[in-house]
Amino acid sequence: MNGITLQEIKQEFLKSKMGIAGISILIILIGISIIAMIAIPIETFQEWNNPSSWILYPKVAIPVWMNLFMTEKIPEHKILENPSIQNILQDEIILTSHQFGLNFDYDYFPNDFIYVFSSEYVGSPLLKMSVIRPDGVQLELLSTALPYSNSKTVHSERIFSTDDAIKKNLALQSEKFQFSLDGLSSEDIVFSKIEANEPLKGKYIFSMNLYGVNSENQIHESKLIIGGKAFGVMGTDELRRDLAVGLLWGTPLALFIGIVVSIASVVMGLLYGVYAGFKGKKTDETMMRFNDVIYALPALPFLIILSVTISNSIFLMIGFLMIFGWVGIAKVARSMSLQIKTRGYVDAANMMGQKDSKIIFKHILPQLLPYAFASIAISVPAAITTEAGLSFLGLGDPSFPTWGQILHDANTFGAAARGLWWWIMPPGVMIAITGLAFVFIGNALDAIVNPKLKR
């Protein structure tokens, strides 16, 4: 060992461009992790594989920013949740009106539209849906009575544009259009120009009116979904999940797996190797033979067997990765320990009758700290890529949205063959960037603690 101090390591590290680049990337990843933990509820883990939680989102929608690069704009998926609400009394009839404004500026028709609502009422109030288009034409979409109840009740329902009643109402207004409506979907009619079946751009106002005689009638939940082909910053997958959520949560999970596994492995390896080297003789021989047995085990096939036969829990996987991660470090730590224990101050400590544990922790392990820091940084990418590889093979914990799990789902649904690049590239790039950050940091530290690597 060269006896370099932590302060000297810090000074040398700050002079390394590679080290600065690695630290910069790591700070960005930590910032993303903090944002994910603050902005996204932790219950997302429970909802990630719950299809009902994502039912209002579109399937395999492309990221919305792709519209910036397209000559013909594809419609964005809109979830309108804040309607303009009015309560009007007319001749003992109470009208509760929810109006949604939509600025439609796309070159294709939307996929569909859905009204999701929850109403509390007594009797059988009348629900009417209509839309005022940018050209001033008003189309009546639906007029239906809610199920009768002689006591206060809560009724929840989803009204789809594919509803037969909406199609029939639009067919009855066919005289407003200059072309045949036969075979056209409701959304193609509502968003079409009068003179031709082409998308009509501009502001639409959808009105949901609830008529009743009871002043306690209310609409609690009220959402209008305009189905589109683009959604969110990173798009969605086949299960309608917002991939931005998975990618953001994947960052703290990857850092947690990589850092925990590397720190635990390095600590275990250092303690094991230093103790074996310090004790020497039969103790050293026995401990190193056991080390050789673990070292000889094929790690990846063994991890696959353990995941299949015992459990694929992410915490158990972290434990498995620790078991196979310390052996190489123990060998290096042992050889360093053999050199350090021959030095004069260690002999002096022995002659003074100091305990073995005190000599190890006070005189030997501090000499190995620079090597430990470099080893931790270099070990992180291996832990992250091993977890991602196991998850990609379907052996990971499906309850956690890790990057490897996202890639596994993409492979299962044939994302590559279908050209769904936004489902494949971002998690792959995130794995590569995270690994690169720790490789930069590790190599910079290695060049400092190992002078032979310096040019």
Side-chain angles (χ1 to χ4, degrees):
M1 293 296 299
N2 52 9
I4 191 168
T5 65
L6 291 177
Q7 187 62 29
E8 290 171 335
I9 291 175
K10 181 181 175 182
Q11 291 174 353
E12 289 295 321
F13 187 84
L14 292 176
K15 296 177 183 175
S16 167
K17 293 180 181 178
M18 186 182 293
I20 296 297
I23 285 291
S24 301
I25 298 173
L26 181 59
I27 289 173
I28 293 172
L29 293 173
I30 292 173
I32 293 173
S33 302
I34 294 172
I35 291 171
M37 289 187 284
I38 293 174
I40 305 173
I42 198 165
E43 291 79 13
T44 306
F45 289 143
Q46 299 169 344
E47 303 300 328
W48 182 249
N49 288 314
N50 181 8
S52 63
S53 298
W54 309 96
I55 192 67
L56 299 182
Y57 290 16
K59 275 188 178 182
V60 289
I62 198 169
V64 293
W65 47 266
M66 282 301 296
N67 264 333
L68 298 174
F69 306 99
M70 294 183 173
T71 53
E72 294 186 335
K73 308 301 181 188
I74 57 176
E76 294 179 17
H77 187 87
K78 300 278 190 182
I79 301 176
L80 308 175
E81 299 182 278
N82 299 305
S84 172
I85 302 175
Q86 286 184 313
N87 291 302
I88 303 171
L89 176 62
Q90 292 180 333
D91 300 330
E92 299 183 351
I93 301 296
I94 297 171
L95 165 62
T96 301
S97 178
H98 284 206
Q99 292 188 337
F100 297 89
L102 169 70
N103 189 21
F104 188 80
D105 189 27
Y106 307 105
D107 296 301
Y108 297 95
F109 290 107
N111 289 345
D112 53 23
F113 58 84
I114 307 169
Y115 180 53
V116 181
F117 73 100
S118 175
S119 177
E120 181 178 325
Y121 62 87
V122 177
S124 182
L126 180 68
L127 178 68
K128 298 187 72 171
M129 290 177 58
S130 62
V131 57
I132 300 175
R133 298 155 31 106
D135 55 7
V137 174
Q138 180 170 352
L139 296 175
E140 300 297 332
L141 300 176
L142 182 68
S143 179
T144 182
L146 300 186
Y148 176 78
S149 174
N150 56 10
S151 61
K152 185 177 287 187
T153 187
V154 176
H155 175 74
S156 299
E157 188 176 344
R158 289 174 183 165
I159 298 174
F160 294 85
S161 58
T162 52
D163 192 308
D164 287 339
I166 294 179
K167 289 184 177 179
K168 288 178 182 177
N169 277 332
L170 289 172
L172 292 173
Q173 302 167 80
S174 60
E175 74 280 356
K176 296 179 179 177
F177 296 88
Q178 298 173 9
F179 57 90
S180 173
L181 302 184
D182 294 342
L184 295 180
S185 63
S186 299
E187 58 273 11
D188 284 4
I189 299 171
V190 170
F191 289 88
S192 175
K193 294 177 180 176
I194 292 293
E195 58 276 7
N197 185 218
E198 297 173 358
L200 174 65
K201 298 180 181 179
K203 187 170 184 180
Y204 291 76
I205 298 175
F206 285 81
S207 297
M208 319 296 171
N209 297 329
L210 186 70
Y211 295 90
V213 295
N214 193 315
S215 61
E216 296 181 356
N217 290 354
Q218 293 179 350
I219 299 177
H220 294 304
E221 182 186 9
S222 186
K223 296 179 184 175
L224 179 66
I225 294 105
I226 306 296
K229 301 176 178 66
F231 181 80
V233 178
M234 300 309 301
T236 62
D237 62 12
E238 183 71 20
L239 302 176
R240 302 174 186 269
R241 297 176 299 198
D242 187 349
L243 288 172
V245 172
L247 289 170
L248 284 173
W249 263 121
T251 308
L253 286 172
L255 292 179
F256 172 75
I257 293 169
I259 293 173
V260 168
V261 170
S262 61
I263 289 177
S265 301
V266 169
V267 170
M268 289 166 59
L270 278 181
L271 292 175
Y272 191 92
V274 168
Y275 185 76
F278 177 75
K279 294 297 290 184
K281 299 180 181 177
K282 290 185 178 179
T283 303
D284 180 32
E285 184 69 18
T286 305
M287 292 178 72
M288 284 300 103
R289 295 296 77 76
F290 177 73
N291 181 282
D292 290 339
V293 171
I294 302 296
Y295 199 76
L297 292 175
L300 187 58
F302 212 73
L303 284 169
I304 293 173
I305 294 170
L306 292 173
S307 297
V308 172
T309 56
I310 299 177
S311 171
N312 61 354
S313 163
I314 196 167
F315 299 105
L316 203 59
M317 188 182 295
I318 289 173
F320 293 156
L321 292 173
M322 290 177 188
I323 291 172
F324 293 101
W326 63 273
V327 285
I329 294 163
K331 282 184 174 294
V332 178
R334 171 188 173 264
S335 56
M336 290 180 173
S337 176
L338 288 172
Q339 295 177 21
I340 295 170
K341 79 173 186 178
T342 60
R343 293 182 179 175
Y345 58 85
V346 177
D347 288 335
N350 266 321
M351 293 173 66
M352 291 170 65
Q354 289 187 353
K355 293 181 180 178
D356 291 349
S357 58
K358 188 174 182 179
I359 295 173
I360 289 173
F361 284 100
K362 188 175 180 180
H363 300 297
I364 299 180
L365 277 178
Q367 303 297 317
L368 272 66
L369 284 180
Y371 165 73
F373 292 142
S375 297
I376 288 172
I378 292 173
S379 301
V380 170
I384 293 174
T385 52
T386 304
E387 186 280 331
L390 290 172
S391 295
F392 180 76
L393 294 173
L395 302 172
D397 192 337
S399 57
F400 288 85
T402 63
W403 295 329
Q405 197 64 42
I406 293 173
L407 287 173
H408 165 70
D409 293 339
N411 184 54
T412 302
F413 288 99
R418 296 163 63 189
L420 309 179
W421 58 266
W422 61 91
W423 197 355
I424 305 168
M425 287 182 62
V429 169
M430 290 301 289
I431 291 172
I433 289 176
T434 307
L436 197 63
F438 286 98
V439 167
F440 281 170
I441 295 170
N443 285 343
L445 285 172
D446 205 23
I448 295 168
V449 301
N450 187 358
K452 293 179 181 177
L453 295 178
K454 293 181 178 179
R455 292 181 179 178

